[in-house]
Amino acid sequence: MKDFPIKTLFIEKGADGYSFGAKIIERLGDIPVDRIEYDVDNRYQQLNNMDKESIRLLRFQGAFLKTCPGTKEYICCGYQILNVGTNCTMDCSYCILQAYFNQPSIRVFVNLEEQLTTIGQLIDSRPEKIFRIGTGEFTDSLALDHIVHWSDILIPFFLGRKNAVLELKTKSNQIEGLLSSPVRERIIVSWSLNSPYIVAKEEHGTVGLKKRLEAAKRCQSEGFILGFHFDPLIEHPDWKEGYMKTLEMMDEYINPKGIIWISMGCFRYMPGLKTIIRKRHPETHILDGEFISGLDGKMRYFKPIRIEMYAFMVEIIKKWYHDPGLYLCMESDEIWTKSMGWSPGNSEGLSHYLDKRVIEFFG
Amino acid sequence: MKMLRGKSILLDLKEIDDNPGPYCMSFHFDLKALVRSIEHCGLINDPFIILTEEGRAEVVIGYRRILALKALKMESIGCIDLSDSGLSHLDLLLLNLSENLATRQFNDLEKGMILSRLMIYISKEKVIEEYMPVLKLPSHVETLHFFLNLDGLDQQMKISIAEKVISLRAIKMLLDMEEKSRFSVFLLLAKLKLNFNKQIHFIEYIVDISHKEGIGIPDLLMEKSFQRILEEKPLNNPQKVKRVMNLLRARRYPSLVHYEDAFNRKISQLELPHGVRLCHSPFFESPDYMLEIKFKKGGELKEKLKILSRIEGLDNIGNPAQKDQ
């Protein structure tokens, strides 16, 4: 993450009295604090930026742990999303969070600790099930860690829970909080990667590939298991050379034996996001591809293009390491078979495959 | 209930502005029916006016009636003068709104006019909360801004909206363009008389191609490939529309169109029996194909199934572009 731009702290009614929130306020130091009665009524405001320059502390009323909302048309990995906050300081042109303009600010849920008790009970009550849990769906897991210290709370929570792992997914190099913890057990640190072209042109406000991979290398050398995500794969001029370059960099920094999985997913978006992307990122070329309406209503690259992209990635990654735990995010049985050479058949099959990887790496 | 304090006066029609003034909410209407009605029955309800400091009359309610009377070459008219009624500008505006709401539907342009006039006197929040539902619009700032922007459009475009020749969704997309592009697309939409669905596809293709190829929209639309189709005399309008849409689609989705062509070629080579159709899934996304057989009697169905079972080319149908790619 580049310069930290937080300029205002909002504290919503009901968010006081939580030590987690109090510590964040303390860490933010001398910035303007605005105590607000209720959330912004979005009917009256046009939020053209997502107000990424403010943090909003609030008491989240919804479910903290949710199964990834996959669709029956495509094979889903059965991931569990731990909703610790929403929005992030970065501004990737393809980010789905842009569709949630009615939720400005980087939102941090101060009642996380009290909710973890319930989540712990759920995990412990189902010892036969492996909970693959991640916090990187609605926010970056680590970009704010030096201020929010999510890792202080979450890492100890997973210690000793033999049927769960926590994946911290990031595009940042904020790893100091992680490294200061003595715990390595049940934690996967993952980086979202792309071609150098896409990182430079489309992932605004993120750190470059080199810094991400340096951070990954440090985590690996300090005993963390790693994951990588090529999601979204985006067609662009010389995309093959671009993704090859990224893989060469991975080879330079990372020992592939310590990678639990590498996921891939071609760029896809809800139809409504297109207008928002065009407005917020008029220079972008991510919408240039041949997008068709998929079986789940999302716009996806025309099937032969997806197959070509995945097949290429599979080829180069497998040349690097034979067992990288490759999987596709939300793709059909046909695409799996044609690009990967095998298919888990359905979502249960993919869950089983990834659960096995967890057992192999963590026991 | 408030009682209006107005006085009846007889006014020379020449003293009444031809412009709709600040209270009227009418845009693009047909006077003929009203003229006929006044010819038959006379004027049933007197218009409401106020007199300005310069002595001119501004219409509060009844603008159309006054235009109809002018069309009938009448010289004077009975009016209710509200100059001393104590009503504010906002009151007069709301008076007009209430009267219109009770008697007719507003077109989208008129809704934009009403909102922009209300915004002069009332807070944005109150307009969104109280007046957008009255106009049957969702209470949302994005919608408010969209309708306010309609007022600033070119007159020809406004008329197309009022006449429902162009969809609001298409207008929304046009409003995202810079003015020159917007107008060049609009002219072509109007010329080709595209239906609402095709308008959206047309604009999407144009915008996407312009972004992808780095060509300005007006330049794109002036390309020979377009102009040739538009000027081709033997083609009627639906044929031109089809060709233009196909041209744009092939440019926007080259792989998909190539795949579809390959599929269609393959199907045509199969020599399927009469009344048999083989279809692919939308965009080939699902691997499933669909077979449609028309028949009148079971025997005919059996016969067609027999013929189908002998067509060797069907074995390769799962990969339509295999040989052609």
Side-chain angles (χ1 to χ4, degrees):
Chain A
M1 192 181 63
K2 290 177 181 168
D3 296 335
F4 197 71
I6 300 303
K7 290 181 180 158
T8 315
L9 174 68
F10 293 108
I11 304 170
E12 279 192 12
K13 193 180 175 185
D16 282 312
Y18 289 91
S19 65
F20 178 49
K23 285 177 197 161
I24 295 170
I25 296 167
E26 198 182 307
R27 279 179 218 119
L28 279 169
D30 195 19
I31 66 163
V33 176
D34 196 351
R35 289 180 185 274
I36 49 179
E37 276 292 305
Y38 48 81
D39 203 353
V40 172
D41 190 338
N42 60 71
R43 288 179 304 166
Y44 304 138
Q45 288 193 20
Q46 274 186 309
L47 299 160
N48 292 324
N49 66 48
M50 296 167 70
D51 192 11
K52 288 167 177 280
E53 296 186 338
S54 66
I55 286 185
R56 181 177 298 243
L57 302 182
L58 63 140
R59 192 173 174 279
F60 183 57
Q61 312 271 7
F64 272 68
L65 191 68
K66 274 186 174 173
T67 305
C68 182
T71 51
K72 63 178 168 46
E73 293 85 1
Y74 297 103
I75 297 173
C76 174
C77 68
Y79 204 63
Q80 306 271 331
I81 300 162
L82 181 57
N83 197 2
V84 295
T86 58
N87 204 346
C88 81
T89 54
M90 304 161 192
D91 198 15
C92 300
S93 59
Y94 52 74
C95 181
I96 190 173
L97 296 175
Q98 295 173 101
Y100 307 136
F101 269 162
N102 57 347
Q103 295 209 320
S105 305
I106 295 155
R107 298 170 162 243
V108 178
F109 306 147
V110 290
N111 52 332
L112 170 65
E113 280 172 301
E114 68 182 20
Q115 291 296 319
L116 282 179
T117 313
T118 318
I119 293 167
Q121 285 164 354
L122 173 75
I123 294 171
D124 297 343
S125 70
R126 298 195 58 191
E128 79 293 350
K129 179 181 164 64
I130 291 178
F131 287 81
R132 283 173 282 106
I133 296 174
T135 54
E137 195 75 9
F138 300 126
T139 186
D140 186 286
S141 300
L142 294 176
L144 288 167
D145 203 46
H146 57 306
I147 286 175
V148 179
H149 286 216
W150 277 317
S151 56
D152 282 358
I153 298 171
L154 295 176
I155 292 178
F157 174 77
F158 281 84
L159 178 66
R161 289 206 151 86
K162 295 289 179 196
N163 63 329
V165 284
L166 172 69
E167 182 174 28
L168 298 165
K169 221 184 272 186
T170 188
K171 286 189 192 106
S172 79
N173 57 352
Q174 290 290 348
I175 53 170
E176 297 310 322
L178 271 183
L179 297 179
S180 67
S181 163
V183 181
R184 302 291 180 264
E185 201 182 314
R186 320 302 300 181
I187 303 297
I188 300 157
V189 196
S190 291
W191 271 267
S192 177
L193 299 178
N194 223 303
S195 74
Y197 177 93
I198 295 296
V199 171
K201 298 262 184 190
E202 309 292 351
E203 296 184 346
H204 310 291
T206 65
V207 299
L209 278 176
K210 189 164 179 273
K211 284 189 176 168
R212 288 183 214 178
L213 290 168
E214 280 170 352
K217 181 181 180 174
R218 238 183 110 199
C219 283
Q220 191 171 46
S221 68
E222 298 262 355
F224 282 102
I225 298 296
L226 302 183
F228 290 99
H229 300 278
F230 284 96
D231 196 346
L233 287 171
I234 295 175
E235 218 189 3
H236 58 276
D238 302 322
W239 62 267
K240 285 186 180 174
E241 287 81 356
Y243 286 111
M244 179 65 104
K245 175 76 188 156
T246 302
L247 199 76
E248 284 165 5
M249 290 174 78
M250 287 173 78
D251 180 45
E252 196 180 321
Y253 289 95
I254 308 297
N255 177 358
K257 285 181 188 163
I259 299 173
I260 187 167
W261 48 55
I262 299 177
S263 81
M264 296 186 292
C266 281
F267 178 43
R268 57 217 176 267
Y269 59 91
M270 293 179 294
L273 190 60
K274 186 174 179 179
T275 316
I276 296 168
I277 293 175
R278 284 249 189 263
K279 270 192 188 153
R280 296 196 70 240
H281 305 279
E283 303 302 322
T284 188
H285 280 280
I286 60 170
L287 299 167
D288 287 355
E290 289 187 55
F291 292 97
I292 53 94
S293 181
L295 301 174
D296 56 357
K298 282 187 185 169
M299 304 305 290
R300 300 165 168 267
Y301 287 121
F302 179 43
K303 196 163 68 182
I305 298 169
R306 288 178 1 241
I307 292 171
E308 186 191 1
M309 295 189 84
Y310 292 135
F312 174 77
M313 295 300 290
V314 171
E315 188 190 330
I316 61 171
I317 293 171
K318 286 239 173 146
K319 266 186 199 162
W320 177 46
Y321 185 60
H322 70 282
D323 188 23
L326 269 175
Y327 71 96
L328 301 180
C329 182
M330 298 305 288
E331 279 297 359
S332 64
D333 179 59
E334 183 192 10
I335 297 252
W336 268 87
T337 309
K338 287 183 175 169
S339 59
M340 303 271 282
W342 75 285
S343 168
N346 52 34
S347 298
E348 287 72 38
L350 178 55
S351 279
H352 182 66
Y353 168 71
L354 295 173
D355 290 349
K356 258 177 69 185
R357 297 285 298 183
V358 169
I359 293 163
E360 280 167 31
F361 276 76
F362 292 101
Chain B
M1 191 177 72
K2 277 186 195 170
M3 295 297 287
L4 279 178
R5 283 188 294 116
K7 61 178 180 211
S8 293
I9 58 167
L10 192 67
L11 204 63
D12 189 334
L13 272 168
K14 282 182 198 148
E15 289 175 33
I16 304 175
D17 276 339
D18 279 343
N19 296 322
Y23 311 114
C24 291
M25 296 158 183
S26 295
F27 180 84
H28 196 62
F29 44 85
D30 187 0
L31 271 184
K32 281 179 214 143
L34 190 55
V35 169
R36 269 199 306 274
S37 160
I38 294 172
E39 264 180 326
H40 273 275
C41 319
L43 189 65
I44 297 168
N45 294 310
D46 289 346
F48 285 32
I49 56 104
I50 54 162
L51 295 170
T52 64
E53 283 175 10
E54 298 80 38
R56 300 281 301 162
E58 270 182 350
V59 183
V60 177
I61 297 173
Y63 177 61
R64 295 177 195 220
R65 276 166 269 166
I66 286 164
L67 288 188
L69 289 169
K70 284 186 175 182
L72 287 166
K73 310 280 186 215
M74 303 285 283
E75 288 183 354
S76 58
I77 178 178
C79 293
I80 309 291
D81 179 12
L82 296 174
S83 304
D84 298 323
S85 63
L87 295 175
S88 66
H89 289 306
L90 175 60
D91 292 334
L92 295 171
L93 186 65
L94 294 178
L95 189 63
N96 184 303
L97 178 62
S98 304
E99 207 256 353
N100 275 295
L101 278 171
T103 53
R104 69 183 183 99
Q105 301 274 319
F106 292 109
N107 67 42
D108 292 318
L109 246 300
E110 291 169 332
K111 288 179 184 177
M113 282 168 70
I114 294 163
L115 291 171
S116 68
R117 285 169 189 201
L118 288 171
M119 288 282 286
I120 299 170
Y121 308 105
I122 300 174
S123 71
K124 184 166 74 176
E125 286 75 12
K126 197 169 176 190
V127 169
I128 291 172
E129 191 73 45
E130 290 181 19
Y131 290 95
M132 291 185 74
V134 166
L135 298 173
K136 297 189 176 115
L137 296 175
S139 292
H140 200 280
V141 68
E142 297 274 353
T143 312
L144 173 67
H145 283 268
F146 170 67
F147 275 86
L148 293 178
N149 282 336
L150 295 182
D151 209 22
L153 285 172
D154 169 88
Q155 187 71 2
Q156 229 178 313
M157 290 175 81
K158 284 185 180 178
I159 291 170
S160 297
I161 298 167
E163 289 180 348
K164 296 195 182 297
V165 171
I166 189 160
S167 75
L168 278 192
R169 197 170 153 212
I171 287 290
K172 207 172 262 184
M173 295 165 92
L174 292 179
L175 277 168
D176 286 336
M177 296 177 187
E178 50 94 16
E179 208 173 330
K180 199 177 164 196
S181 299
R182 182 192 306 159
F183 201 64
S184 58
V185 174
F186 168 73
L187 286 179
L188 207 53
L189 286 179
K191 189 171 182 176
L192 290 169
K193 299 187 182 78
L194 300 177
N195 65 31
F196 281 8
N197 193 31
K198 285 207 170 82
Q199 287 172 8
I200 304 302
H201 284 303
F202 179 83
I203 298 171
E204 273 180 349
Y205 291 153
I206 292 289
V207 171
D208 285 354
I209 293 168
S210 163
H211 271 276
K212 187 177 176 180
E213 300 181 10
I215 305 169
I217 289 174
D219 293 337
L220 179 62
L221 297 179
M222 285 309 290
E223 282 183 4
K224 275 183 190 163
S225 50
F226 277 109
Q227 295 305 320
R228 243 194 323 259
I229 297 171
L230 296 176
E231 286 157 16
E232 208 168 324
K233 291 244 164 72
L235 295 182
N236 61 28
N237 197 61
Q239 288 169 324
K240 284 181 185 175
V241 168
K242 197 175 174 190
R243 287 213 189 167
V244 165
M245 295 305 281
N246 285 345
L247 181 79
L248 289 171
R249 190 167 183 270
R251 191 152 159 186
R252 177 65 187 92
Y253 297 104
S255 308
L256 173 62
V257 170
H258 172 78
Y259 216 74
E260 285 170 343
D261 289 346
F263 176 80
N264 291 335
R265 267 198 305 277
K266 201 161 252 182
I267 297 299
S268 67
Q269 286 162 5
L270 291 178
E271 295 181 359
L272 295 172
H274 182 70
V276 173
R277 215 158 62 100
L278 198 61
C279 308
H280 60 76
S281 60
F283 314 109
F284 299 93
E285 181 62 11
S286 159
D288 299 332
Y289 292 87
M290 202 173 74
L291 181 71
E292 184 184 278
I293 305 175
K294 276 188 189 170
F295 61 95
K296 287 193 175 67
K297 290 182 178 166
E300 188 188 352
L301 171 63
K302 277 174 147 180
E303 190 52 39
K304 284 183 177 175
L305 288 173
K306 256 188 222 165
I307 298 169
L308 281 169
S309 70
R310 288 197 294 266
I311 297 175
E312 286 182 2
L314 276 174
D315 298 338
N316 293 326
I317 208 67
N319 198 349
Q322 194 172 35
K323 283 180 185 169
D324 303 77
Q325 264 185 331

